[in-house]
Amino acid sequence: MTAAFQRTSVTWASRFEVRLRCLLSRTLVITAALCPTLVAQGQDDSRGSEATFKFIANQLQRFQRTGQMDPIPGLDGSGHEDFLDLLRSVYVSFTQGIGTDSAMCRIYLDPENGRMELEERAVLAVSFLPPLVYRLQRFREIDLQFQQTVTDSYGGALLATIETQKFQVGSYEYLPTWEFNAAEAVHFADTACGG
């Protein structure tokens, strides 16, 4: 074998090994530095998860304000209460670890930490979030479970309606689907913790 061919083979083998590890890592133990394509894929998937979360948050906010949800074609009147229960349950799943009762919010809102600069306190608080790759995987799994539950309980037509509507709604709440700089950490902590 020539030296150039050997270098090419080693380079190809190294790249193949990293890609294989990325594909085989169901628990996402490989860090983002070793597996950037996995993180990029997770961020692409996070758009759908983020839209699902915003759809759910929007429906719950509207129901809390008005006592009614936005109209959802395919959901009849008798199914509203069960559907609201499903939305509440999925919302709790999405916000577990980032809501007002989380370690992140306890750190951010702790009066003892009030002596710290706001940005410093926010960066410390969001450091209690799981690593990005784990968050992306978790949000995607919650989204897929929600889709499956809607399909099983209400049918594919309702899921198709939700999938269309979810990209058209807004909410002041959002998921931590990227790494934050200091200003973004403050905004996220303020939003998630009500600070």
Side-chain angles (χ1 to χ4, degrees):
M1 277 202 256
T2 67
F5 180 75
Q6 287 176 330
R7 279 193 309 269
T8 303
S9 295
V10 170
T11 303
W12 181 85
S14 298
R15 288 182 185 158
F16 178 75
E17 182 180 347
V18 169
R19 289 180 188 260
L20 182 61
R21 286 183 185 181
C22 291
L23 293 173
L24 296 177
S25 177
R26 297 260 318 136
T27 59
L28 299 174
V29 174
I30 298 172
T31 64
L34 292 177
C35 194
T37 56
L38 186 58
V39 172
Q41 176 65 38
Q43 288 173 329
D44 288 344
D45 290 345
S46 74
R47 286 190 205 105
S49 302
E50 179 84 23
T52 297
F53 174 74
K54 286 182 178 281
F55 172 83
I56 291 169
N58 181 280
Q59 290 291 345
L60 293 174
Q61 290 162 7
R62 179 175 162 88
F63 185 78
Q64 189 172 15
R65 280 191 325 268
T66 67
Q68 299 177 10
M69 292 188 304
D70 286 331
I72 305 172
L75 183 64
D76 63 17
S78 63
H80 275 89
E81 199 58 43
D82 290 337
F83 189 68
L84 271 170
D85 289 341
L86 172 63
L87 294 181
R88 289 180 186 116
S89 172
V90 175
Y91 180 84
V92 167
S93 295
F94 269 125
T95 58
Q96 181 181 3
I98 60 173
T100 55
D101 61 339
S102 68
M104 177 191 75
C105 289
R106 285 192 301 274
I107 295 292
Y108 187 68
L109 298 174
D110 186 349
E112 290 290 319
N113 294 331
R115 295 181 293 237
M116 298 170 74
E117 293 288 328
L118 182 61
E119 291 84 4
E120 184 181 26
R121 189 174 74 220
V123 168
L124 174 64
V126 299
S127 74
F128 280 80
L129 294 173
L132 178 61
V133 70
Y134 292 109
R135 294 189 312 251
L136 296 175
Q137 179 189 26
R138 186 172 142 264
F139 297 146
R140 180 69 179 142
E141 289 171 357
I142 293 167
D143 187 22
L144 290 173
Q145 182 61 46
F146 172 70
Q147 292 174 26
Q148 188 63 50
T149 302
V150 169
T151 300
D152 292 348
S153 301
Y154 302 97
L158 181 62
L159 178 62
T161 300
I162 291 170
E163 289 297 303
T164 301
Q165 286 186 357
K166 75 181 189 180
F167 289 101
Q168 301 168 2
V169 299
S171 173
Y172 67 90
E173 295 181 75
Y174 57 95
L175 297 173
T177 56
W178 71 93
E179 295 293 347
F180 298 119
N181 64 34
E184 291 167 336
V186 170
H187 187 266
F188 180 74
D190 275 344
T191 302
C193 303

